[in-house]
Amino acid sequence: MRLLERARKEWFMVGIVVAIGAAKLQPSVGVNGGPLKPEITVSYIAVATIFFNSGLSLKTEELTSALVHLKLHLFIQIFTLAFFPATIWLFLQLLSVTPINEWLLKGLQTVGCMPPPVSSAVILTKAVGGNEGIIVTPLLLLLFLGSSSSVPFTAIFSQLFMTVVVPLIIGQIIRRYIKDWLERKKPPFSAVSSSVLLMIIYTTFCDTFSNPHIDLDKFSLVLILFIIVSVQLSFMLLTFIFSTRNNSGFTPADTVAIIFCSTHKSLTLGIPMLKIVFAGHEHLSLISVPLLIYHPAQILLGSVLVPTIKSWMVSRQKGVKLTRPTV
């Protein structure tokens, strides 16, 4: 199962490259007003499809039982939606005086605002053997992103409610009635969401390549890649230090969940969010680039670190067992 999931993620990363390449070759197909009509098919139908699909696949009973780990979730939420974006904002104040493309820097800020994914963080946590589960708080994310958007907050909230909240709720309601069928047939939810997400990415870059005034220099791109990897490594180290202090109260398994869930960011939620929040913005694709880089980087980096983290967790758990008094 893990091999299949890893293969799916690898193909999805290839799909991102293909989607951007296709947009470069024929941008007129996916631009606003073009044959695909992305202002309707993407902004409403595609986004709603992703979250309806999420509603069908989301196991509410597992999320409810996960709420028992209140301290763990509180730590992850504060780090992800407060410390992470605030630290990135401070860092960007320093980078603002550099020649790095300003829209890529804005994209880096939006990365900081994203919640962790339900996919990669949970899968990597499972691979190590730690605890899993995260409470997604889209309302906080909306407030943070809405303040930096040119689109009125009321319009953002209205569209997000109709394309995110309503489809998610409908999917959950339908799941109650066909839960046994879903468990038995196991529909390809991930494949459906990935395919729709690639369509969103394609149309986003069609707008970019059809605009002759937008230019992305390689220097900025290389620096952003270096910054993203450095940020991930630094934050993983920080979460490890915070969660392994003597008075933290976290188990080794909790630490694993914290490392992955606090530092990973959701592409599935992020791209539709950016599409809505920055609707019609000519630099939307440049703002999206850091998130498109962050996603494969977190998977590759996480996969490399899994054996080391697993070895650490096993040794710590053995140490705890040895120190327990015998009855």
Side-chain angles (χ1 to χ4, degrees):
M1 195 68 179
R2 289 174 189 167
L3 290 176
L4 287 174
E5 187 63 32
R6 183 179 298 177
R8 184 189 69 79
K9 286 186 174 296
E10 289 175 355
W11 277 110
F12 179 67
M13 287 187 279
V14 172
I16 292 176
V17 176
V18 172
I20 295 174
K24 175 69 173 178
L25 291 174
Q26 197 60 264
S28 60
V29 175
V31 296
N32 283 343
L36 286 182
K37 301 292 181 185
E39 62 272 19
I40 298 173
T41 57
V42 171
S43 297
Y44 293 94
I45 298 174
V47 176
T49 299
I50 285 177
F51 289 99
F52 173 73
N53 190 49
S54 296
L56 281 177
S57 60
L58 191 63
K59 297 180 179 180
T60 315
E61 61 275 11
E62 290 187 3
L63 293 179
T64 303
S65 62
L67 288 174
V68 175
H69 302 286
L70 183 59
K71 184 179 178 180
L72 172 66
H73 295 307
L74 187 60
F75 180 96
I76 293 172
Q77 291 301 313
I78 292 174
F79 190 94
T80 306
L81 296 175
F83 181 83
F84 201 125
T87 304
I88 292 294
W89 183 84
L90 290 172
F91 184 47
L92 291 182
Q93 303 313 300
L94 299 175
L95 293 178
S96 62
V97 298
T98 67
I100 300 176
N101 186 290
E102 65 171 310
W103 299 106
L104 289 180
L105 293 180
K106 289 181 184 293
L108 202 56
Q109 180 65 72
T110 64
V111 169
C113 297
M114 296 297 160
V118 178
S119 54
S120 61
V122 170
I123 289 164
L124 289 168
T125 301
K126 280 183 176 179
V128 178
N131 297 335
E132 65 183 73
I134 185 69
I135 305 169
V136 179
T137 53
L139 183 57
L140 290 176
L141 182 62
L142 287 177
L143 291 172
F144 209 106
L145 282 178
S147 62
S148 62
S149 170
S150 58
V151 181
F153 180 78
T154 52
I156 294 171
F157 184 80
S158 176
Q159 187 172 349
L160 283 170
F161 181 77
M162 294 304 298
T163 59
V164 176
V165 179
V166 172
L168 192 66
I169 293 173
I170 293 174
Q172 279 284 280
I173 292 172
I174 293 176
R175 177 181 172 81
R176 288 187 179 184
Y177 295 98
I178 61 171
K179 178 182 173 182
D180 292 338
W181 182 84
L182 291 173
E183 294 294 334
R184 190 168 61 253
K185 296 294 183 180
K186 299 187 183 301
F189 292 118
S190 296
V192 172
S193 291
S194 296
S195 300
V196 176
L197 194 56
L198 288 175
M199 178 185 173
I200 296 175
I201 293 169
Y202 167 71
T203 58
T204 298
F205 278 86
C206 280
D207 286 332
T208 296
F209 294 128
S210 64
N211 188 338
H213 303 295
I214 294 179
D215 182 36
L216 177 59
D217 61 288
K218 294 179 181 178
F219 173 75
S220 293
L221 200 58
V222 171
L223 280 182
I224 287 294
L225 175 60
F226 174 76
I227 290 168
I228 284 173
V229 174
S230 300
V231 164
Q232 288 191 38
L233 284 172
S234 299
F235 281 2
M236 290 179 85
L237 179 60
L238 270 178
T239 53
F240 177 80
I241 293 171
F242 288 157
S243 60
T244 54
R245 292 177 304 169
N246 292 332
N247 60 346
S248 69
F250 294 120
T251 66
D254 291 336
T255 295
V256 172
I258 287 170
I259 289 173
F260 289 125
C261 292
S262 297
T263 58
H264 282 209
K265 296 294 182 177
S266 175
L267 183 68
T268 305
L269 179 60
I271 292 297
M273 280 279 193
L274 294 180
K275 193 75 174 178
I276 293 171
V277 173
F278 295 97
H281 202 296
E282 65 174 348
H283 293 99
L284 172 60
S285 59
L286 295 186
I287 295 172
S288 306
V289 166
L291 184 58
L292 292 173
I293 294 174
Y294 198 99
H295 178 74
Q298 70 187 8
I299 295 171
L300 293 173
L301 190 59
S303 299
V304 169
L305 293 175
V306 158
T308 303
I309 295 175
K310 184 172 184 177
S311 176
W312 169 83
M313 192 190 75
V314 170
S315 64
R316 283 294 297 270
Q317 288 178 332
K318 286 181 178 177
V320 170
K321 289 178 182 178
L322 289 174
T323 56
R324 284 177 182 170
T326 56
V327 180

